[in-house]
């Protein structure tokens, strides 16, 4: 055998060595990579991966704060938080939300409002947050959901606090109500504070004192299992409860005022002229705040909102009406203080008034006239002719200046939302609003609180309090434990430039209205155990032609006059001021004055018993 045909053992060994060396290198590189990756994950990424691991089993749950309680001046609870079972959904645990909602709808008969509110809350919440779908589940609903719990992944029945108003409709325009927070409200609010909140104050004190009532949200870190079921609370940042609020309202007097109004539409405002505390603020008809707090379906809310009686409309602070003759005491005071008329000057009332070179005739409410009247009798008998003459003498410029000083046309600054101002017309006002010049005849109409002049029942009460206080204005308020300083009423200062004797003269004219033999409210003053100062008013809703007569029996009730009355008592040392406005109530003396007496009687009689209770 030739040596060339023998195998090259040396070459084979060299190939094997190279391959072994390559394999060792590859294994070494792979081993180093594993070691390096392990070191990277265990050391460099430890904190991050540890946190990720925690997130996988720990869920953050917001904890709603307890909303502050609202009580009346005697500590009786008007708005509280009541325990109830609610249905909540945690979106991240739900595979098919629409299918789940459809199933729950079949079980609970969900309303459109509930579903819409849930979708809105889900839109602004994180997926692991609980979102309420229905509040106040009945016992049968709780049982039904418990039995079917296995079908509803991500659904829980939880005890929660819901807003409750124990007195129902009574005082609803003062308290307002809470409701689910809307997109626009959330845009205006502090998002960090309201991100997980479902409810906010919508009207009344619930809205105007939202910052004090709301409190601060808390957070719980909850350990969950693989299915997302909570196992235990790991950490809790407790919520801060909202502050309680005590109102100046007396709920018993509030109910007296509402009962006095009966089936009429209108408003009654009662306040303490010494402090500005509002004792009662009734606006009829009312509404049930409990229904709104629970959430009405679309059809129910639309029916309530479109009710022709306007139960959601706060007539006491937002309704604007011609004040009629209730302005006469202050307008007369302005005329005397401004030297436009002497209080003893006699005006002969024959029932008709004419301006020189003007064909129109202005008539008195009493066709045969009142005969000779001075200032006190002009107020007591509510003589229109006296005030036509006074208005013509003063002119609209002086009337606007004086009546604005008394507060007409201005907001009172009460701590309720959406208060409207009134209208104390002037030449500038008419030119700016209507683009027209002022006419003399409009001055005559303004002299008896008609024409363009408008005021709210609350403004009627504060201007009457100005007389009761002999020239010291007040700012009405609803919260008695208010810690914030009350800002002054813009444009109103104590009227120290008016002699005190003129204030007493004005008070005397109102006393004569109630207690005088010819006073328009003498029927109301009969049998009073105290002295009341008051003024009746009857405001026309439609114009009556010069040759026509106002016949209530044949006139459509929609066109009946508004009935008004303002009063304070005891006249010498006033403790309560009351303003009454009854829409289409007819005569102020027959309809509104008896209502005011019921409220004043109740308050003065009640105060004596309260004093005894406090002393014990």
């Amino acid at each position: 055998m030739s040596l060339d045909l023998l195998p090259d053992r040396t070459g084979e060994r060299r190939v094997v060595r190279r391959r072994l060396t390559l394999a060792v290198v590859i294994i070494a590189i792979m081993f180093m990579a594993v070691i390096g990756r392990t070191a990277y994950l265990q050391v460099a990424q430890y904190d991050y991966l540890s946190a990720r691991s925690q997130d996988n089993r720990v869920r953050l749950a917001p904890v709603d704060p307890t909303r502050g309680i609202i009580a009346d001046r005697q500590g009786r609870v008007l708005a509280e938080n009541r325990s109830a079972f609610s249905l909540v959904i945690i979106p991240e645990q739900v595979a098919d939300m629409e299918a789940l909602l459809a199933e729950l709808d079949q079980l609970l008969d969900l309303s459109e409002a509930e579903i819409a509110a849930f979708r809105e809350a889900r839109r602004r919440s994180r997926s692991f947050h609980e979102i309420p779908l229905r509040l106040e589940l009945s016992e049968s609903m709780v049982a039904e959901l418990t039995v079917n719990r296995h079908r509803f992944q991500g659904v829980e029945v939880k005890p929660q606090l819901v807003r409750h108003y124990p007195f129902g409709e009574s005082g609803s325009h003062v308290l307002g109500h809470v409701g689910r927070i809307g997109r626009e409200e959330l845009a205006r609010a502090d998002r960090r504070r309201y991100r997980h909140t479902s409810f906010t104050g919508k009207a009344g004190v619930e809205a105007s004192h939202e910052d004090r009532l709301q409190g601060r949200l808390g957070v719980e870190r909850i350990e969950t299992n693989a299915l997302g079921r909570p196992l235990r609370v790991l950490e809790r940042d407790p919520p801060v409860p909202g502050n309680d609020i005590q109102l100046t309202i007396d709920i018993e007097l509030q109910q007296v005022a509402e009962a006095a109004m009966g089936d009429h539409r209108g408003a009654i405002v009662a306040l303490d002229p010494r402090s500005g505390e509002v004792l009662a603020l009734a606006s009829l008809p009312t509404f049930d705040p409990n229904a709104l707090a629970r959430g009405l379906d679309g059809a129910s809310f639309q029916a309530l909102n479109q009710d022709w009686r306007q139960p959601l409309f706060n007539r006491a602070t937002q309704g604007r009406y011609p004040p009629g003759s209730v302005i006469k005491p202050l307008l007369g005071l302005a005329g005397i203080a401004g030297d436009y008329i002497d209080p003893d000057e006699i005006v002969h009332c024959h029932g008709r008034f004419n301006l020189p070179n003007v064909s129109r005739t202005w008539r008195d409410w009493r066709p045969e006239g009142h005969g000779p009247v001075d200032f006190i009798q002009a107020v007591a008998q509510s003589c229109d002719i006296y005030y036509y003459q006074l208005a013509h003498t003063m002119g609209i410029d002086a009337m606007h200046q004086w009546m604005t000083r008394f507060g007409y046309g201005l907001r009172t600054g009460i701590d309720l939302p959406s208060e409207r101002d009134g209208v104390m017309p002037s030449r500038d006002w008419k030119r700016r609003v209507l683009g027209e010049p002022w006419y003399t005849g409009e001055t005559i109409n303004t002299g008896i609180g008609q024409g363009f002049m408008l005021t709210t029942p609350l403004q009627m009460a504060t201007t009457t309090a100005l007389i009761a206080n002999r020239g010291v204005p007040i700012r009405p308020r609803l919260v008695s434990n208010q810690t914030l300083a009350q800002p002054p009423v813009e444009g109103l200062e104590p009227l120290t430039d008016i002699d005190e004797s003129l204030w007493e003269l004005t008070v005397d004219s109102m006393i004569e209205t109630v207690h005088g033999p010819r006073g328009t409210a003498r029927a109301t003053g009969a049998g009073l155990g105290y002295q009341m100062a008051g003024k009746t008013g009857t405001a026309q809703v439609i114009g009556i032609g010069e040759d026509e007569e106002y016949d209530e029996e044949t006139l459509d009730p929609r066109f009946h006059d508004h009935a008004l009355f303002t009063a304070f008592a005891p006249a010498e040392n006033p403790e309560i001021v009351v303003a009454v406005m009854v829409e289409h109530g007819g005569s102020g003396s027959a309809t509104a004055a008896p209502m005011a007496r019921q409220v004043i009687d109740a308050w003065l009689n009640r105060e004596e018993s309260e004093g005894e209770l406090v002393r014990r």
Side-chain angles (χ1 to χ4, degrees):
M1 177 181 294
S2 171
L3 291 175
D4 296 336
L5 298 176
L6 292 175
D8 184 358
R9 301 294 182 185
T10 302
E12 290 180 354
R13 286 196 293 271
R14 193 164 45 248
V15 170
V16 170
R17 279 199 298 271
R18 282 202 297 267
R19 290 177 177 174
L20 287 174
T21 300
L22 179 61
V24 169
V25 169
I26 292 173
I27 292 172
I29 291 173
M30 293 177 63
F31 183 74
M32 292 299 293
V34 171
I35 295 295
R37 182 63 179 172
T38 301
Y40 174 76
L41 296 176
Q42 291 292 327
V43 180
Q45 294 291 303
Y46 175 79
D47 292 340
Y48 171 74
L49 294 176
S50 176
R52 288 284 302 271
S53 175
Q54 287 290 93
D55 285 346
N56 286 339
R57 64 184 179 85
V58 176
R59 175 162 58 87
L60 295 178
V63 183
D64 289 335
T66 304
R67 192 172 179 84
I69 291 172
I70 302 175
D72 82 340
R73 65 187 300 115
Q74 302 298 331
R76 290 165 293 211
V77 175
L78 306 180
E80 61 185 349
N81 305 301
R82 192 170 66 178
S83 297
F85 285 102
S86 302
L87 184 149
V88 300
I89 296 177
I90 306 169
E92 71 171 5
Q93 298 178 20
V94 179
D96 187 341
M97 183 62 74
E98 296 306 317
L100 175 64
L101 291 175
E103 283 192 78
L104 290 174
D105 186 21
Q106 290 184 346
L107 194 67
L108 303 175
D109 190 21
L110 298 171
S111 68
E112 293 180 4
E114 287 174 320
I115 294 177
F118 171 79
R119 294 189 197 281
E120 173 61 23
R122 183 190 177 195
R123 190 190 62 78
R124 64 171 189 269
S125 301
R126 301 182 68 175
S127 62
F128 52 81
H129 287 154
E130 300 168 349
I131 301 174
L133 178 63
R134 166 163 290 184
L135 305 172
E136 292 196 88
L137 294 168
S138 65
E139 291 183 3
S140 61
M141 289 178 181
V142 173
E144 191 86 17
L145 286 166
T146 302
V147 170
N148 291 278
R149 183 174 179 177
H150 63 282
R151 294 170 50 200
F152 303 126
Q153 180 70 29
V155 174
E156 292 184 12
V157 175
K158 297 195 67 176
Q160 286 191 336
L161 296 176
V162 296
R163 204 60 161 171
H164 177 65
Y165 304 91
F167 288 89
E169 295 188 1
S170 186
S172 58
H173 285 284
V174 175
L175 298 171
H177 62 91
V178 299
R180 293 181 188 262
I181 190 168
R183 187 177 305 178
E184 294 182 358
E185 292 165 317
L186 188 62
R188 295 193 301 268
D190 181 351
R191 295 185 67 85
R192 290 173 299 178
R193 188 177 179 188
Y194 285 87
R195 180 182 295 276
H196 312 294
T197 304
S198 300
F199 295 90
T200 187
K202 292 284 188 178
V205 170
E206 293 276 25
S208 59
H209 291 279
E210 168 71 13
D211 287 347
R212 304 184 69 201
L213 292 166
Q214 169 63 17
R216 184 174 62 81
L217 202 69
V219 176
E220 284 184 346
R221 295 172 64 84
I222 301 175
E223 183 179 12
T224 61
N225 61 16
L227 297 176
R229 298 292 182 194
L231 301 176
R232 59 176 175 147
V233 176
L234 299 175
E235 188 177 349
R236 191 170 195 267
D237 179 12
V240 177
N243 294 312
D244 295 340
I245 284 180
Q246 185 169 24
L247 299 184
T248 61
I249 291 289
D250 183 286
I251 191 60
E252 289 187 2
L253 190 70
Q254 177 78 21
Q255 291 177 323
V256 168
E258 291 167 352
M261 188 67 74
D263 294 330
H264 291 284
R265 286 172 286 130
I268 296 179
V269 179
L271 50 81
D272 186 334
R274 299 165 297 185
S275 61
E277 294 181 349
V278 178
L279 307 175
L281 191 146
S283 176
L284 277 293
T286 58
F287 61 90
D288 182 5
N290 289 306
L292 290 170
R294 287 192 295 269
L296 291 175
D297 59 70
S300 299
F301 181 77
Q302 189 173 17
L304 181 64
N305 197 37
Q306 295 181 351
D307 188 332
W308 67 271
R309 300 173 307 154
Q310 298 180 289
L312 295 177
F313 181 54
N314 188 345
R315 289 169 165 80
T317 60
Q318 298 173 315
R320 303 199 297 182
Y321 308 89
S325 295
V326 298
I327 72 163
K328 287 176 178 175
L330 279 176
L331 183 60
L333 172 65
I336 298 168
D339 292 329
Y340 294 99
I341 193 169
D342 186 277
D344 297 325
E345 180 180 337
I346 299 297
V347 171
H348 293 274
C349 171
H350 302 291
R352 305 174 77 84
F353 176 81
N354 290 93
L355 288 172
N357 303 319
V358 176
S359 59
R360 176 183 172 179
T361 297
W362 282 266
R363 298 182 300 179
D364 193 277
W365 68 269
R366 188 178 187 189
E368 66 273 25
H370 300 275
V373 293
D374 59 5
F375 166 65
I376 287 185
Q377 286 303 316
V379 172
Q381 299 181 45
S382 201
C383 176
D384 291 337
I385 304 302
Y386 183 94
Y387 282 91
Y388 291 150
Q389 179 63 55
L390 177 60
H392 181 56
T393 304
M394 291 183 69
I396 189 59
D397 297 333
M399 289 172 62
H400 175 80
Q401 180 184 0
W402 277 99
M403 299 304 276
T404 302
R405 289 187 68 195
F406 296 147
Y408 280 103
L410 306 176
R411 291 187 181 90
T412 67
I414 192 174
D415 46 337
L416 279 180
S418 306
E419 182 195 8
R420 297 188 70 184
D421 57 8
V423 174
M424 184 58 227
S426 65
R427 298 178 196 276
D428 290 341
W429 172 85
K430 188 179 179 189
R431 191 177 299 111
R432 183 177 69 255
V433 175
L434 301 178
E436 298 176 0
W438 186 266
Y439 298 107
T440 304
E442 293 163 344
T443 301
I444 306 302
N445 291 335
T446 306
I448 59 167
Q450 294 280 172
F452 300 114
M453 192 173 182
L454 297 173
T455 186
T456 68
L458 179 63
Q459 290 159 17
M460 286 168 48
T462 56
T463 52
T464 304
L466 183 70
I467 304 173
N469 288 339
R470 278 66 171 175
V472 178
I474 60 164
R475 180 191 182 101
R477 61 189 175 93
L478 282 164
V479 175
S480 62
N481 58 350
Q482 180 72 269
T483 56
L484 299 175
Q486 290 289 312
V489 182
E490 185 178 354
L492 288 185
E493 300 291 340
L495 301 174
T496 55
D497 58 328
I498 298 178
D499 193 275
E500 186 176 345
S501 63
L502 296 187
W503 290 109
E504 295 299 338
L505 185 69
T506 306
V507 172
D508 288 345
S509 72
M510 296 177 69
I511 293 174
E512 187 71 11
T513 301
V514 179
H515 299 279
R518 303 185 67 183
T520 53
R522 60 186 181 279
T524 295
L528 273 179
Y530 53 87
Q531 201 168 49
M532 178 196 295
K535 183 69 195 80
T536 56
T538 302
Q540 287 184 345
V541 175
I542 59 170
I544 301 296
E546 189 173 332
D547 299 324
E548 297 175 338
E549 295 292 336
Y550 176 83
D551 186 353
E552 189 172 289
E553 293 184 357
T554 60
L555 195 63
D556 189 316
R558 295 175 301 167
F559 303 131
H560 287 182
D561 294 340
H562 295 326
L564 306 107
F565 186 71
T566 62
F568 55 87
E572 65 280 7
N573 187 24
E575 298 174 15
I576 183 172
V577 167
V578 173
V580 180
M581 192 291 305
V582 184
E583 289 183 3
H584 312 295
S587 165
S589 59
T591 305
M595 295 178 181
R597 175 170 176 174
Q598 290 184 51
V599 174
I600 295 175
D601 278 352
W603 182 248
L604 294 183
N605 294 334
R606 177 184 172 76
E607 273 206 325
E608 294 176 3
S609 61
E610 283 180 358
E612 294 175 1
L613 287 173
V614 171
R615 284 194 292 274
R616 282 200 294 268

